Amino acid sequence: MRNIININESWNFTKEGKTEKVNLPHTWNGTDGQDGGNDYYRGTCIYEKEIQKKDMPEGDEVYIQFDGVNSSAKVYFNDKEIAVHHGGYSTFRAKLDPIKETNKIKVEANNAPNDSVYPQMADFTFYGGIYRDVTLIGVPKNHFDLDYCGAPGIMVTPIVKGVNAEVTIKAFCNTDSEVVFEITEGNEVIGTAKTSGKNPEVTITIANAHLWHGIDDPYLYTATVRLMENGSTVDEISARFGCRSFDIDPDKGFILNGKEYPLRGVSRHQDRPKIGNALMPEHHSEDIELIYEMGANTIRLAHYQHSQYFYDLCDEKGFIIWAEIPYISKHLTNGVENTKQQMTELICQCYNHPSIVTWGLSNEITMNGSDPALIENHKMLNNLAHSLDKTRPTTIAAVTMCSIDDEYVHISDILSYNHYFGWYGGNVSMYGPWFDNFHRKYPKKAIGISEYGCEALNWHTSAPEQGDYTEEYQAYYHEEVIKQIIDRPYLWATHVWNMFDFAADARAEGGENGMNHKGLVTFDRKYKKDSFYAYQAWLSKKPVLHICGKRYVKRVEDTTKITVYSNLDEIELFANGKSIGKQKKGKYPFFYFDVKNEGETEITAKAGELTDKSFIKKVDTFCEDYRMKEEGAVINWFEINTPTGYYSINDTIGDILSTLRGKLAALKIILKLKSAMGSSDKKDSKKDSGMSLAGFKINKTMIEMGKGFTIKRVFMMLGGKFTKEQILEVNAILNKVKKPSK
């Protein structure tokens, strides 16, 4: 029989000549990958471990399994190279041979930049290390396959037909021995079959199948295969599965088991403070519970393959999952084989999970435009996904700047777009009209939102505006997007970016470097921002009542706005025990009250049996604790020269481009910044039909999106790529350009 032991404990870890004892999971970027500066260590580190033969699992053959080593790994056993794996998020294995009395395992883990392994350009930290479990698997000479792409060796395909489900089970083995197939429901065996031969498969019918129906009823069965010799079981593996059917209709959206089932949820990055991606089971469990508490029913697991433990939790809770590979931001000429490998591993390793309904081919891959090589790679991946899995559609997360007419957009079966209207340009009201336009032009293409969001830290204001990083603007932003989504049921899925704040070491925004703060929940999972409750009030089936702005106590205005989120029918608000009034719920679960701000006021909201409280205090001057503290190359207001009647970096791109002199100044600025970044490579300029800056192609769409930005904010978003002196040079250029007279 198969024997499995975990060998996470007591490894010697060596980085730059220094060795220490560590337990797995482990990353060497838990601190420097989260503090900003884009200077975290990216290179090769060594993990070594001795293991005695007596401590290894019994079996004629022993395999070592790595659930995740980022980004590339070379594995040695007794000084012999036994495996090389490129791709930091999937499982791989190698056979240990020959086994001695004392054995040495050595792993060279490497997250250094290169031009062939994805991801290389993305807005998150690429944590190096052996950050998931390592196990040893002992098996008899004849056993189910352990050599193909880290796959489990069993593939289960349930097809719902009427009230029944026909379940095809395929076992992967290279032997003529008999294989017994079994389906169990709880502890009861409800179906069996047996056959033999290489990679045998059978179909077993479940009569009156209990369907897996998302978060409402995530019912699971178990399929087991046993390899038999002389009437005895020599190897056994199993997989849980769910019986469900689904369709994605361009007009009605997602349909589960014949019923409309709108997919509304979040995206997830997995990392945590200090430990990066080196998570324990309790971390995954906490994440799934928070998402469940919010009321979501779908998760986009971005931008890479996540832990099998987390996929299992998704199966159990009933979340609908978008799973994808890290083919992101930039097409690498030398990375084609790696995209093929990572797609194969994703599908083969995750095939049995009923929660997964679509395979993501890429994310924002047209950042630098679309070209024939990129198109061909997507067609290859699309065909590959369909050849490996005939039951699930493919999808793409396209970036705003990509035209809806681009060939690339129409390769996958379904589609979603990443839009940040109201944060990275434009305004928040643009979502509905944009998607309506797409839906009119391509009525047969299912369209959704793969990313949308904005950043919020513990900054506060009574006059929120785009780019201020306040909790109040984030709440307003999500209220407005929710309203537009509610009015458009044709959107097959919508995924907030992001459920949790996450590390992006290149960032210098919002007053805390190294982080992306678009999460509805803070990085440490300790604080749920107001926007979390906006979604809970919309999506949760449990009663919800939440007063916003609890961290915003000191306020200067005489009358202040109090926002309440609830899914209950009527809300009453009280100030120091006196009723401000009642409001009945309309189409959207948001309530707004004007409250006099005098002295100290206890705010109480009541709805049904629920009560929530907050507190405000009148102050004469704005509390500076609530104002964003900018760091790095971001310049203080008093350092910016703003001569009357002339432009400065405090002006918006739209205003500057509204005059001929402004356009000429903008061109001069772009050329200067390109030169400063050393991006005037002649070879690249021949390929580019337009101008690029900081890796982003400057085109008409991008300019239209950016018209709402001040130049200062653009520099903030570029994450410290320019010095204070360079920014002030830009300001000096603008100071010479006269504004039009009013």
Side-chain angles (χ1 to χ4, degrees):
M1 291 290 291
R2 181 172 296 207
N3 299 291
I4 303 173
I5 66 169
N6 181 290
I7 59 168
N8 283 350
E9 291 189 0
S10 193
W11 289 71
N12 290 319
F13 169 69
T14 303
K15 174 188 171 187
E16 297 183 307
K18 296 180 180 180
T19 301
E20 62 177 314
K21 283 281 186 186
V22 300
N23 294 329
L24 308 180
H26 176 264
T27 179
W28 60 76
N29 298 126
T31 300
D32 68 354
Q34 302 178 351
D35 61 0
N38 199 27
D39 56 355
Y40 64 103
Y41 181 80
R42 296 186 66 183
T44 299
C45 294
I46 308 298
Y47 294 84
E48 295 175 291
K49 181 181 180 69
E50 277 196 356
I51 187 165
Q52 304 299 313
K53 183 176 182 179
K54 63 182 177 62
D55 296 326
M56 300 176 79
E58 293 183 6
D60 297 325
E61 296 178 353
V62 177
Y63 283 76
I64 188 168
Q65 174 172 308
F66 296 89
D67 290 347
V69 183
N70 201 43
S71 296
S72 295
K74 288 185 180 180
V75 182
Y76 300 84
F77 185 64
N78 294 328
D79 299 320
K80 175 186 174 184
E81 185 183 286
I82 60 171
V84 176
H85 185 261
H86 298 296
Y89 303 96
S90 53
T91 296
F92 68 97
R93 306 186 187 102
K95 186 160 67 173
L96 304 182
D97 185 47
I99 297 174
K100 303 177 182 179
E101 291 302 317
T102 299
N103 302 277
K104 178 183 175 183
I105 301 169
K106 176 183 175 182
V107 182
E108 295 178 357
N110 180 7
N111 69 337
N114 62 74
D115 65 355
S116 60
V117 182
Y118 285 96
Q120 289 299 322
M121 175 184 170
D123 185 28
F124 58 95
T125 296
F126 310 145
Y127 298 98
I130 304 179
Y131 70 97
R132 290 182 184 152
D133 287 346
V134 180
T135 51
L136 297 180
I137 307 169
V139 289
K141 184 176 181 180
N142 289 330
H143 55 268
F144 293 112
D145 196 346
L146 287 165
D147 292 305
Y148 181 66
C149 294
I154 179 174
M155 188 167 73
V156 186
T157 309
I159 303 297
V160 176
K161 293 189 174 181
V163 298
N164 302 330
E166 293 185 358
V167 184
T168 299
I169 309 171
K170 186 172 184 177
F172 294 85
C173 57
N174 190 7
T175 176
D176 291 328
S177 299
E178 182 180 75
V179 177
V180 174
F181 298 78
E182 186 177 272
I183 294 177
T184 54
E185 184 176 14
N187 295 321
E188 181 184 357
V189 177
I190 62 170
T192 61
K194 62 178 65 174
T195 188
S196 60
K198 182 179 179 181
N199 299 338
E201 69 176 58
V202 299
T203 298
I204 300 173
T205 298
I206 301 177
N208 297 309
H210 190 152
L211 299 183
W212 185 93
H213 196 75
I215 58 174
D216 297 328
D217 188 9
Y219 196 82
L220 296 170
Y221 294 91
T222 301
T224 301
V225 292
R226 297 188 178 92
L227 188 63
M228 311 298 293
E229 287 185 358
N230 301 319
S232 299
T233 301
V234 294
D235 195 17
E236 177 181 316
I237 51 177
S238 62
R240 294 185 303 175
F241 68 94
C243 301
R244 84 284 189 269
S245 65
F246 68 89
D247 187 27
I248 301 174
D249 186 274
D251 291 316
K252 298 178 180 179
F254 191 82
I255 298 169
L256 180 62
N257 299 323
K259 300 178 181 178
E260 292 183 24
Y261 190 84
L263 296 184
R264 304 294 179 250
V266 297
S267 297
R268 181 219 188 202
H269 265 305
Q270 61 186 347
D271 60 331
R272 297 251 179 161
K274 304 301 182 186
I275 61 172
N277 289 344
L279 305 186
M280 302 300 287
E282 57 265 29
H283 298 129
H284 293 294
S285 297
E286 183 179 29
D287 280 6
I288 207 85
E289 290 299 332
L290 283 166
I291 298 171
Y292 188 77
E293 178 188 345
M294 196 189 80
N297 63 7
T298 181
I299 310 173
R300 179 182 173 215
L301 291 178
H303 291 297
Y304 39 75
Q305 186 170 328
H306 285 234
S307 165
Q308 288 299 316
Y309 185 79
F310 195 80
Y311 291 118
D312 287 341
L313 291 175
C314 293
D315 294 341
E316 294 170 8
K317 282 290 190 181
F319 286 103
I320 301 292
I321 300 303
W322 166 330
E324 66 186 40
I325 61 172
Y327 184 26
I328 179 171
S329 300
K330 182 179 181 181
H331 175 74
L332 304 175
T333 302
N334 296 330
V336 171
E337 283 304 310
N338 190 246
T339 64
K340 182 178 180 180
Q341 172 200 313
Q342 293 204 48
M343 181 61 73
T344 301
E345 290 174 337
L346 174 69
I347 295 175
C348 291
Q349 293 175 22
C350 300
Y351 182 91
N352 296 325
H353 293 288
S355 55
I356 298 174
V357 301
T358 187
W359 305 115
L361 304 182
S362 66
N363 176 76
E364 297 189 347
I365 200 66
T366 59
M367 276 286 193
N368 292 296
S370 181
D371 60 41
L374 181 151
I375 296 293
E376 287 308 307
N377 202 44
H378 278 78
K379 289 179 178 178
M380 178 275 291
L381 289 174
N382 197 55
N383 291 335
L384 174 64
H386 289 146
S387 70
L388 293 170
D389 183 0
K390 296 179 174 25
T391 70
R392 295 177 175 96
T394 57
T395 190
I396 283 172
V399 68
T400 292
M401 292 86 77
C402 184
S403 167
I404 65 174
D405 303 318
D406 195 300
E407 181 182 4
Y408 144 85
V409 166
H410 299 279
I411 293 172
S412 59
D413 302 312
I414 55 178
L415 175 70
S416 286
Y417 257 84
N418 297 352
H419 286 318
Y420 291 93
F421 304 132
W423 187 247
Y424 295 138
N427 62 73
V428 73
S429 66
M430 292 171 64
Y431 285 91
W434 191 97
F435 283 99
D436 288 344
N437 177 61
F438 185 100
H439 190 51
R440 278 193 302 270
K441 189 165 187 180
Y442 296 105
K444 295 183 179 180
K445 185 83 171 184
I447 183 70
I449 314 178
S450 38
E451 291 183 24
Y452 66 98
C454 70
E455 301 197 39
L457 293 87
N458 193 11
W459 313 127
H460 301 282
T461 182
S462 294
E465 59 183 26
Q466 182 181 155
D468 66 11
Y469 295 86
T470 63
E471 191 171 0
E472 285 69 35
Y473 183 78
Q474 188 191 51
Y476 160 77
Y477 169 98
H478 282 289
E479 291 166 26
E480 294 304 307
V481 182
I482 287 171
K483 292 173 185 176
Q484 294 169 81
I485 293 172
I486 288 174
D487 292 339
R488 290 165 178 84
Y490 64 79
L491 294 169
W492 78 267
T494 60
H495 296 97
V496 176
W497 190 262
N498 198 281
M499 181 63 186
F500 308 106
D501 291 346
F502 59 91
D505 197 53
R507 280 184 168 253
E509 289 188 55
E512 183 186 15
N513 294 344
M515 298 296 301
N516 187 313
H517 299 97
K518 293 188 183 70
L520 305 179
V521 178
T522 53
F523 193 34
D524 60 7
R525 277 62 169 174
K526 300 301 183 186
Y527 181 77
K528 301 162 190 169
K529 304 175 191 178
D530 285 335
S531 50
F532 171 95
Y533 296 98
Y535 286 92
Q536 190 180 53
W538 173 32
L539 301 173
S540 179
K541 296 177 182 177
K542 295 181 179 180
V544 175
L545 179 65
H546 174 75
I547 300 175
C548 296
K550 290 188 175 72
R551 296 195 290 186
Y552 182 29
V553 176
K554 300 174 182 178
R555 308 190 184 196
V556 298
E557 62 270 20
D558 296 330
T559 300
T560 193
K561 176 183 174 183
I562 299 295
T563 299
V564 180
Y565 299 146
S566 182
N567 53 8
L568 299 175
D569 291 333
E570 186 177 77
I571 305 297
E572 186 170 13
L573 197 74
F574 299 83
N576 289 333
K578 181 181 178 181
S579 178
I580 300 298
K582 295 180 180 180
Q583 291 185 21
K584 291 189 178 294
K585 191 179 81 169
K587 190 174 186 180
Y588 313 114
F590 312 131
F591 302 78
Y592 309 105
F593 297 86
D594 289 327
V595 176
K596 288 184 178 180
N597 183 21
E598 301 172 328
E600 298 182 356
T601 307
E602 182 184 68
I603 307 294
T604 303
K606 293 185 177 181
E609 298 180 355
L610 298 184
T611 299
D612 194 26
K613 293 180 181 292
S614 68
F615 182 80
I616 59 173
K617 181 179 180 179
K618 180 73 164 69
V619 294
D620 294 329
T621 58
F622 185 81
C623 177
E624 289 302 318
D625 290 343
Y626 297 152
R627 200 187 307 276
M628 179 174 63
K629 310 299 186 295
E630 300 175 349
E631 298 179 359
V634 179
I635 302 170
N636 292 309
W637 65 270
F638 53 81
E639 298 178 275
I640 304 170
N641 189 27
T642 57
T644 302
Y646 291 83
Y647 289 115
S648 74
I649 62 173
N650 288 336
D651 288 296
T652 67
I653 293 173
D655 286 344
I656 293 167
L657 294 179
S658 67
T659 68
L660 177 59
R661 288 182 179 274
K663 289 186 176 75
L664 293 173
L667 180 61
K668 183 178 180 181
I669 289 167
I670 290 172
L671 292 172
K672 177 180 281 291
L673 296 181
K674 279 176 64 70
S675 176
M677 294 185 68
S679 58
S680 57
D681 188 293
K682 293 181 180 179
K683 184 177 179 182
D684 288 341
S685 65
K686 289 180 181 178
K687 292 189 299 181
D688 288 342
S689 59
M691 194 166 290
S692 64
L693 176 63
F696 296 91
K697 193 163 187 178
I698 304 295
N699 57 30
K700 183 179 179 181
T701 305
M702 196 171 176
I703 290 171
E704 288 298 317
M705 281 292 298
K707 283 185 176 179
F709 289 159
T710 65
I711 301 296
K712 181 184 175 186
R713 183 158 183 246
V714 171
F715 281 119
M716 288 171 59
M717 293 190 302
L718 290 174
K721 287 183 170 63
F722 299 98
T723 66
K724 180 181 291 189
E725 290 71 25
Q726 289 172 326
I727 298 172
L728 290 176
E729 282 184 37
V730 170
N731 192 65
I733 293 172
L734 292 171
N735 288 166
K736 297 176 182 177
V737 181
K738 199 168 186 178
K739 293 182 178 181
S741 57
K742 293 183 180 180

